[in-house]
Amino acid sequence: DAGVTQSPTHLIKTRGQQVTLRCSPKSGHDTVSWYQQALGQGPQFIFQYYEEEERQRGNFPDRFSGHQFPNYSSELNVNALLLGDSALYLCASTPRGSRIPLHFGNGTRLTVT
Amino acid sequence: KQEVTQIPAALSVPEGENLVLNCSFTDSAIYNLQWFRQDPGKGLTSLLLIQSSQREQTSGRLNASLDKSSGRSTLYIAASQPGDSATYLCAVRPILNAGNQFYFGTGTSLTVIP
C-alpha cells in the first residue's frame, strides 16, 4: 500500500519561471493539502483540495495555485518564481472529515536561483 | 491567529536518557494536536495524534500529553537511542475552519549521542 508520493524529489528553477509539483495521495484518501517548509522553519499551509476544488487556503499569494484530478491526485503550480519560494514542498492526505493522522509525502525540494 | 512555539530549539542528550520536548499554542480551541518526526531533507512521519478530548497518547517509548486549557503539550521519549535523532514538530488543528490546516511549531532538533 503506497503512501503519499510526490514528484519530482528535487527541482532547480530560475527566478521568474513557473513550476508544477505533483502529489498522489495515500490509497483511500481523497483530501490533499500542500505545505511549504522553508529551511529551519515549520511547514506552512498553502491550500487544501477535495472534490476537485480548493476548499481552504493559507496566507499565500495567487502565484500559488493548484488542481485536483478525479483520481484525487493533485498539482501545485507556482508562477513567477521568487528566490524566497525556495523550500521543501510537502503534500499531505487524509480521508475527508477524518480524525486520523495527517500522512505526508517526502516532499519536493525546490531551489530558485 | 494560532501560534505554536517549541522549546528547546535544539537538544543533545546521551543515549539512554529520558527526555521531554515542549510545545505551547496560543488558542485552546483546537480539534487535535499531532507530533511529527522529520529526518533531514525528508517528509514528516506522524508519531502521535491527540484528540482535543484526550489527555495523552502512548506509542512504544513515546508518550504525548495535552493540556488544552493551558495551551501545552509535551512529548516524552523514554530511554533515548541514537536512531531517535531527528527534528520533532508539533502541530495543532484549529476547530474553526479545521480542514487540514495545521499550525506547526519550528521544531526541536534532537541529537542522541551514543
Side-chain angles (χ1 to χ4, degrees):
Chain A
D1 179 21
V4 180
T5 58
Q6 293 186 243
S7 62
T9 54
H10 295 86
L11 205 50
I12 299 175
K13 289 287 189 178
T14 303
R15 192 171 42 185
Q17 286 187 317
Q18 179 264 344
V19 68
T20 297
L21 311 181
R22 295 176 177 83
C23 171
S24 293
K26 183 177 169 63
S27 177
H29 292 188
D30 61 356
T31 299
V32 173
S33 304
W34 288 91
Y35 284 78
Q36 180 196 65
Q37 186 179 24
L39 203 60
Q41 301 297 313
Q44 301 225 345
F45 177 79
I46 303 174
F47 43 51
Q48 173 188 326
Y49 277 82
Y50 62 85
E51 294 181 346
E52 303 177 45
E53 289 192 18
E54 182 184 301
R55 301 292 180 172
Q56 194 175 4
R57 188 178 184 93
N59 189 25
F60 279 80
D62 292 344
R63 297 187 299 109
F64 290 77
S65 64
H67 188 77
Q68 186 179 35
F69 299 93
N71 66 353
Y72 309 124
S73 66
S74 177
E75 288 182 348
L76 164 65
N77 301 293
V78 187
N79 294 322
L81 284 167
L82 304 174
L83 296 179
D85 295 331
S86 295
L88 181 67
Y89 287 85
L90 296 161
C91 173
S93 73
T94 56
R96 182 155 52 98
S98 171
R99 292 161 72 91
I100 73 170
L102 211 54
H103 291 258
F104 280 86
N106 279 331
T108 294
R109 171 70 64 188
L110 173 64
T111 302
V112 182
T113 62
Chain B
K1 181 193 167 190
Q2 179 74 265
E3 293 188 7
V4 181
T5 303
Q6 291 188 246
I7 295 173
L11 185 61
S12 184
V13 300
E15 182 176 2
E17 192 161 298
N18 302 325
L19 58 102
V20 174
L21 307 181
N22 296 295
C23 172
S24 61
F25 46 95
T26 54
D27 187 347
S28 62
I30 64 169
Y31 191 67
N32 55 36
L33 181 147
Q34 197 165 349
W35 281 92
F36 294 90
R37 169 189 172 132
Q38 186 173 33
D39 293 291
K42 299 295 186 182
L44 279 63
T45 300
S46 177
L47 297 174
L48 290 164
L49 172 70
I50 308 177
Q51 303 296 346
S52 61
S53 59
Q54 297 176 319
R55 296 283 295 184
E56 65 180 292
Q57 281 287 329
T58 298
S59 176
R61 295 182 294 108
L62 305 180
N63 176 276
S65 68
L66 174 63
D67 184 343
K68 203 172 60 164
S69 61
S70 67
R72 294 184 181 185
S73 176
T74 61
L75 179 66
Y76 174 84
I77 303 177
S80 58
Q81 303 171 357
D84 294 331
S85 298
T87 296
Y88 291 80
L89 295 149
C90 75
V92 298
R93 189 174 179 185
I95 288 176
L96 288 178
N97 300 317
N100 279 339
Q101 181 169 4
F102 277 78
Y103 290 88
F104 282 81
T106 53
T108 294
S109 178
L110 173 66
T111 302
V112 180
I113 303 165

